[in-house]
Amino acid sequence: MLIYLIRHGETEENRQRILQGHMPGTLTENGREQMTMTAERLAKEDVRFTRIVASDLKRAMDSARIIADKLALPIVPLEILRERNWGRFNGIPIAEAKDKYFKNGELVFPDDNAETEADIRKRARMAIEELRKRFAGETIIVVTHGQIARHIIAAHFDCGFHEIAPLLNAEARSIRL
């Protein structure tokens, strides 16, 4: 099974340096152009994709639709591919979160709805298993978010999240399961 993991295109919230988490997010014109260029690169690949699987959050679905239109592929939304849930911190500036809510490099969560590093790592492993089970033998495009994509790659290679370089908006990386 071959997976092309793609981070959604740039959003207004990315530009504003906001923790998006489970917010819908709005693609910028640049974000739409980024996804169009990614779709064009994928169309030139010597690969036969069977479908797109995407986070059900708006910014990922909007990004997936741009690829789907170019490659004529169906989209399967999956909630498990959502970005890390920051709980009550969704929507606040990243700088504010770092100043107020980080301690010794770890985010302190006084909110039970926010995912810890361990939570998102566990969800990444579950996402891999779900993709394996549902799409075994296929070559798929997975449109998702920066943190969950890095955690999926880290879980696959059994290494730490911080050992995986951040994905740029509309960047594609492939892994073979």
Side-chain angles (χ1 to χ4, degrees):
M1 172 176 204
L2 185 59
I3 295 175
Y4 279 63
L5 273 171
I6 300 173
R7 182 180 175 201
H8 61 78
E10 179 190 64
T11 64
E12 292 293 340
E13 295 80 6
N14 290 146
R15 277 194 179 160
Q16 297 167 21
R17 305 279 303 142
I18 297 222
L19 281 175
Q20 292 180 84
H22 285 191
M23 294 172 59
T26 302
L27 291 181
T28 61
E29 183 60 36
N30 182 52
R32 288 186 288 279
E33 289 173 15
Q34 290 171 331
M35 293 310 299
T36 298
M37 290 187 327
T38 297
E40 289 171 0
R41 282 192 300 275
L42 292 171
K44 293 176 185 174
E45 290 276 331
D46 189 24
V47 175
R48 186 181 175 309
F49 298 104
T50 55
R51 72 188 74 244
I52 299 169
V53 182
S55 158
D56 65 344
L57 294 174
K58 182 181 183 310
R59 61 192 184 270
M61 290 297 292
D62 290 347
S63 295
R65 282 187 199 97
I66 293 168
I67 297 171
D69 289 348
K70 177 72 176 172
L71 302 180
L73 292 172
I75 301 172
V76 177
L78 282 182
E79 183 177 334
I80 200 166
L81 295 172
R82 284 183 173 190
E83 182 57 292
R84 182 178 185 170
N85 182 2
W86 296 103
R88 70 182 174 108
F89 305 120
N90 289 328
I92 69 168
I94 293 169
E96 180 183 332
K98 284 183 178 180
D99 288 345
K100 293 182 179 179
Y101 307 113
F102 273 85
K103 183 177 182 178
N104 299 325
E106 289 294 320
L107 191 55
V108 178
F109 291 102
D111 179 346
D112 291 339
N113 293 321
E115 287 181 293
T116 64
E117 290 285 330
D119 293 336
I120 193 167
R121 175 70 174 230
K122 180 179 177 184
R123 184 160 57 86
R125 289 187 187 282
M126 291 169 45
I128 288 172
E129 289 310 310
E130 184 163 348
L131 293 170
R132 277 187 177 140
K133 183 175 76 174
R134 291 183 63 179
F135 310 110
E138 295 185 36
T139 299
I140 62 173
I141 295 167
V142 174
V143 180
T144 189
H145 311 272
Q147 281 221 2
I148 188 67
R150 286 175 71 194
H151 277 279
I152 288 170
I153 295 167
H156 173 68
F157 289 109
D158 198 27
C159 66
F161 158 73
H162 296 289
E163 295 177 57
I164 306 300
L167 280 80
L168 302 174
N169 290 109
E171 180 182 349
R173 295 190 193 168
S174 62
I175 58 173
R176 189 172 296 278
L177 298 180

